Amino acid sequence: MTVVTLREVTAATVRAICALETAQEQKRFVAPNAVSIAQAYFEPRAIFRAIYAEEIPVGFVMWRTADEAETAYLWRFMIDRNHQGKGYGERAIAQLTDLLRDTGYRRLTTSVVLGCGGPIDFYQSRGFVETGATTTNGERVLLRIL
């Protein structure tokens, strides 16, 4: 089985990470990685990592401390269109939840845009449940107990 790791984005790797893209029909569900990295520099609580399969960059994840105690917010998550369906997303979420649990978090929330081809089924298959809440921009809020 291919080893999946979360790694810091460096000056040497940032272009490769920014070049990763979702499939065309998924673009409305997640911002480009370059935008996410730029936003992270203006949010002091943001942490982002590249997702690697062995030595190949395959995705991107970004999270921050939420306003609620012991809660992290999964702000961005994507797997490149050429690497979807290989289990990398599942393993990256598992690594992230282990990392967060080990650092004291007890809950992970995220929000999703609803629509055909959207990520809600993926998140629900990873243990997230709908909370019944929506964000101010209409995204559905999901929660996973760590």
Side-chain angles (χ1 to χ4, degrees):
M1 182 185 310
T2 302
V3 175
V4 174
T5 55
L6 306 180
R7 300 183 191 175
E8 287 192 34
V9 177
T10 67
T13 63
V14 69
R15 286 183 183 268
I17 303 312
C18 288
L20 299 173
E21 293 184 319
T22 60
Q24 184 63 38
E25 62 274 11
Q26 297 169 323
K27 289 188 185 298
R28 69 185 187 100
F29 298 113
V30 64
N33 295 341
V35 170
S36 296
I37 292 168
Q39 286 178 315
Y41 280 101
F42 296 99
E43 171 51 71
R45 299 178 294 175
I47 300 169
F48 58 90
R49 296 288 183 266
I51 302 167
Y52 278 76
E54 300 292 345
E55 296 305 312
I56 299 169
V58 299
F60 179 84
V61 61
M62 183 164 76
W63 67 95
R64 65 174 172 75
T65 301
D67 296 332
E68 303 82 29
E70 299 182 328
T71 304
Y73 176 72
L74 177 57
W75 192 359
R76 298 283 160 68
F77 182 78
M78 67 81 71
I79 299 294
D80 182 81
R81 64 182 175 206
N82 297 314
H83 300 285
Q84 293 180 9
K86 299 176 182 179
Y88 301 153
E90 295 172 21
R91 285 181 262 160
I93 290 289
Q95 284 210 1
L96 177 62
T97 56
D98 288 346
L99 171 72
L100 293 172
R101 186 182 312 108
D102 292 347
T103 55
Y105 290 99
R106 299 292 166 244
R107 290 169 297 282
L108 178 61
T109 62
T110 194
S111 60
V112 297
V113 174
L114 296 180
C116 183
I120 194 164
D121 291 339
F122 169 80
Y123 286 119
Q124 288 175 329
S125 73
R126 306 279 39 97
F128 286 83
V129 297
E130 291 190 60
T131 65
T134 57
T135 65
T136 55
N137 61 352
E139 294 181 11
R140 191 78 49 92
V141 177
L142 305 175
L143 167 72
R144 178 174 172 176
I145 302 299
L146 302 177

